Amino acid sequence: MAAFFFYLYVRNLRLGDYTAYVGGLLFMCSGSLLGHKGHQALLGASVWLPLLLLFIDRYLRTRLIREAAFAGGVLGMSLLGGYPQTATYMTILATAYFSFRCFGSDDDGQRGGRVSVWAAGLAAICVISVLIASLQLFAVAELIPTITREKISLHMFNQDSLPIAYVGAFLVPGIFGGTSGLGSYYRSASFIEFYSYMGQSALLLAAFAAVGLWNKNLIVRFWVFTGLIAGILCLGLHPIQRLLHLVPVYNLFRAPARHLYEVDFAISVLAVYGLHALLNKTLQRRQVLWALRLGVLAVGTFLMAAVCATQYIRFLAAPPAGAASFFGDNIQQFTLMAPSIYAYLAAWRPTVLFPMIFFVCSACLLWQMNRRNRTVWKILLSVVMVFDIWLPYRTVYANPETTPLLHPNSDSDIAYLNALDRTHYRIYPIDPATGYLYPMMNQIHDLPAINDYSPFWDKRYQSVGEFDLNGESETAYMTTKLMNELGVRYLITNRETIASQLRNVSQSTDPPASALPIPDQNCAALRCEDASFSEPGIISLQSQAGQVAIVQIPVEFTSDTLY
């Protein structure tokens, strides 16, 4: 859907079928979409952006209100996708694009139009999208006071900001691990959030368009600025984040690195403009050569900087060199993985070698396409793009055999669950190996599975299941109260350690708990928030860090109490 919608959008820009095909290929294979393969809701909300921009262009070209209504319908479908963060980013980008095309762009031989046209179109988009998504929007609005994400702290708002060092991953995807079977060794938990690689050809074409068409095409300038602004937002810079944290709705979402979605989309659009200019000789030959050389030089310089960074990291991993303070909190993990990192970042290994090979191949192909516009070069360019993106990405995720999904009755567990009365149970995937599977369990096998990953965790669930603000907990599946609230009867796990824990959990109801307020402590290291008696005679202490070393509680000590 992402590729086809982008293809239609580029066709609408009248840049040619082949260019539209390549653009669809690039957007479909952009790092922000591929990296979030496990977030089906995010993907379901993300694919609609090019179709939304298509109907905006059609409305401004025809001035027919039905085209704006179609755009509103597309935005409504994105909202129904179930990932409001992406839909919010999409809405902001589409509003900026609509305003620019209406008032500033002269791509179609005419300036945008009047304020009334802009206002009528925007009103139609808003009304139709709200009507279509009302089933979800009004339900969420009603639940706002009861959910844990009605407001998040500035610290959580800044979580998973893109480290500046990860800019190198645009050119060398495995610069900090995460590919070829090696785990990420820098901000490892967020590697998928930071995955941005979409191939050397895309960057070369985008650079060529930015240089060669800067003074020729206003829409190219718009997408350059869009990519730069989104890139700055990815970094989560403190002054900007403090200001954005005051913006309603926007301040409900964490992980600024998800603005890579707009960055990758901007690169894809710039790449198609660059490819069209290269194939159709819209620039003078002198201008093409100058822009092509400058684009190759710019991307090549950044690539060599990224390659040099990999060799410096490899030097730090080589005994007896030490990583010093370069990796900060990740120094221990880096030290443990140092022997593997040393081999992984060798110049002759795929991590470093493949990006350089594909850069040379892409640059040569673009040079040949400028000289002779032959079909063979077009085919080779598409093949090089696919292999350039696929070779590192195929090693990011495990790729298990999926044929059994089409034959659910051959699985004894699925067959057992299918034989039960579906109206009286739900299943709950409780470990990472099965957490990504819950939508497939529901959509493919039609099993009633609860959503184990959602930003809208109810405070009631948090109070009985010990969930944190991001809907995560390592103990929730042990809590009888939560299972009763959710109507869960079966837990799904692939981990023997969790299964062993579950076998030892008592099936009796939880004992009553009573709160025990903790007075102010004069120890700065102790940050307990509250304590409770989860079981008779046992005091449970809760703190933000989850660990308490020394505790002094002013209560009467008795010989039959476990401390």
Side-chain angles (χ1 to χ4, degrees):
M1 291 173 70
F4 181 60
F5 292 160
F6 197 95
Y7 171 82
L8 295 178
Y9 170 62
V10 178
R11 283 282 304 275
N12 151 78
L13 298 175
R14 297 167 183 159
L15 297 179
D17 286 349
Y18 173 73
T19 304
Y21 165 77
V22 171
L25 192 69
L26 288 176
F27 180 56
M28 176 180 70
C29 297
S30 60
S32 59
L33 294 187
L34 291 182
H36 286 282
K37 182 171 72 170
H39 295 164
Q40 287 90 342
L42 186 149
L43 296 180
S46 300
V47 299
W48 300 96
L49 177 57
L51 195 62
L52 175 60
L53 302 187
L54 164 64
F55 282 117
I56 287 175
D57 280 348
R58 286 169 62 97
Y59 167 70
L60 292 175
R61 189 178 299 128
T62 64
R63 308 296 170 88
L64 296 174
I65 203 69
R66 71 164 183 255
E67 301 294 345
F70 287 145
V74 171
L75 181 57
M77 293 299 292
S78 177
L79 289 167
L80 287 177
Y83 211 85
Q85 182 173 7
T86 298
T88 300
Y89 293 170
M90 184 186 304
T91 302
I92 296 171
L93 175 56
T95 302
Y97 181 82
F98 185 26
S99 303
F100 173 79
R101 294 289 271 176
C102 191
F103 298 113
S105 176
D106 56 359
D107 259 10
D108 298 315
Q110 57 185 0
R111 297 194 70 81
R114 305 179 305 275
V115 173
S116 59
V117 174
W118 177 82
L122 201 60
I125 293 173
C126 292
V127 170
I128 298 300
S129 62
V130 169
L131 286 175
I132 287 179
S134 60
L135 175 69
Q136 188 152 299
L137 291 178
F138 289 120
V140 171
E142 185 178 6
L143 285 172
I144 283 289
T146 70
I147 61 180
T148 60
R149 291 285 282 270
E150 63 175 322
K151 186 178 181 180
I152 62 176
S153 65
L154 180 62
H155 172 72
M156 186 174 180
F157 184 64
N158 291 330
Q159 280 181 350
D160 289 343
S161 299
L162 183 72
I164 189 67
Y166 262 93
V167 173
F170 276 97
L171 297 130
V172 180
I175 187 171
F176 293 115
T179 64
S180 301
L182 183 71
S184 178
Y185 48 85
Y186 184 62
R187 304 287 181 91
S188 56
S190 304
F191 172 73
I192 295 304
E193 298 285 4
F194 303 154
Y195 192 78
S196 58
Y197 191 67
M198 52 192 305
Q200 306 294 330
S201 301
L203 297 177
L204 286 169
L205 286 169
F208 170 72
V211 173
L213 301 176
W214 180 262
N215 295 321
K216 302 282 185 180
N217 197 327
L218 285 176
I219 197 68
V220 167
R221 294 190 196 180
F222 171 84
W223 287 111
V224 169
F225 282 120
T226 296
L228 290 176
I229 292 171
I232 293 172
L233 292 177
C234 284
L235 301 177
L237 303 177
H238 256 302
I240 298 175
Q241 288 297 97
R242 285 187 176 275
L243 183 62
L244 292 176
H245 191 242
L246 302 176
V247 179
V249 180
Y250 186 93
N251 61 7
L252 296 175
F253 310 117
R254 53 179 283 278
R258 288 175 187 167
H259 280 292
L260 283 171
Y261 172 64
E262 300 103 277
V263 175
D264 289 349
F265 189 88
I267 291 174
S268 300
V269 177
L270 289 172
V272 299
Y273 273 101
L275 184 59
H276 177 262
L278 197 64
L279 293 176
N280 292 275
K281 307 295 189 293
T282 56
L283 298 173
Q284 296 180 4
R285 181 169 179 78
R286 178 177 55 83
Q287 293 175 317
V288 172
L289 293 175
W290 174 74
L292 199 56
R293 287 170 180 167
L294 196 58
V296 170
L297 178 63
V299 177
T301 300
F302 282 113
L303 174 61
M304 291 312 300
V307 170
C308 290
T310 63
Q311 298 312 296
Y312 176 68
I313 296 171
R314 185 171 186 257
F315 164 75
L316 295 178
S325 60
F326 181 78
F327 287 92
D329 295 339
N330 299 84
I331 180 64
Q332 185 175 7
Q333 184 175 2
F334 179 85
T335 303
L336 291 173
M337 297 174 62
S340 299
I341 294 171
Y342 182 78
Y344 170 79
L345 292 179
W348 56 88
R349 295 293 295 272
T351 310
V352 180
L353 182 62
F354 282 2
M356 293 192 291
I357 291 176
F358 282 109
F359 170 80
V360 173
C361 292
S362 299
C364 291
L365 278 173
L366 296 182
W367 189 265
Q368 290 298 327
M369 292 175 73
N370 171 56
R371 295 177 59 195
R372 299 176 184 177
N373 187 358
R374 290 184 177 179
T375 303
V376 63
W377 303 128
K378 295 180 179 180
I379 296 174
L380 284 176
L381 180 64
S382 300
V383 172
V384 167
M385 282 181 175
V386 170
F387 274 94
D388 187 6
I389 296 169
W390 174 72
L391 283 173
Y393 177 70
R394 68 187 175 87
T395 66
V396 172
Y397 279 101
N399 296 284
E401 174 60 46
T402 57
T403 303
L405 289 174
L406 305 177
H407 306 283
N409 291 329
S410 63
D411 188 310
S412 59
D413 297 337
I414 301 299
Y416 172 76
L417 291 171
N418 277 330
L420 301 175
D421 182 358
R422 295 164 181 266
T423 62
H424 290 86
Y425 76 88
R426 285 180 180 163
I427 60 175
Y428 178 21
I430 59 173
D431 65 60
T434 56
Y436 286 126
L437 296 178
Y438 73 86
M440 286 183 276
M441 291 177 176
N442 181 257
Q443 296 167 7
I444 297 180
H445 299 321
D446 195 26
L447 295 175
I450 71 164
N451 185 342
D452 72 315
Y453 185 88
S454 169
F456 294 121
W457 273 100
D458 195 296
K459 289 178 181 177
R460 179 177 57 171
Y461 296 165
Q462 186 182 31
S463 65
V464 299
E466 301 177 5
F467 284 97
D468 64 19
L469 282 178
N470 199 34
E472 298 174 350
S473 173
E474 295 183 359
T475 60
Y477 57 86
M478 300 268 191
T479 308
T480 307
K481 285 183 179 179
L482 181 68
M483 298 300 101
N484 291 338
E485 292 279 1
L486 298 175
V488 173
R489 185 172 178 182
Y490 298 99
L491 306 177
I492 309 296
T493 179
N494 284 334
R495 290 190 175 182
E496 182 56 37
T497 53
I498 295 179
S500 298
Q501 287 178 312
L502 292 172
R503 293 187 186 102
N504 295 320
V505 172
S506 172
Q507 297 301 309
S508 61
T509 58
D510 289 342
S514 57
L516 174 66
I518 293 183
D520 293 336
Q521 304 292 323
N522 56 13
C523 176
L526 182 60
R527 297 188 179 88
C528 283
E529 296 171 341
D530 66 275
S532 62
F533 293 100
S534 57
E535 295 181 35
I538 297 180
I539 301 175
S540 300
L541 299 171
Q542 303 295 327
S543 70
Q544 290 182 348
Q547 296 178 349
V548 177
I550 302 175
V551 180
Q552 181 180 6
I553 302 176
V555 297
E556 182 179 357
F557 295 97
T558 59
S559 58
D560 58 348
T561 303
L562 176 63
Y563 296 100

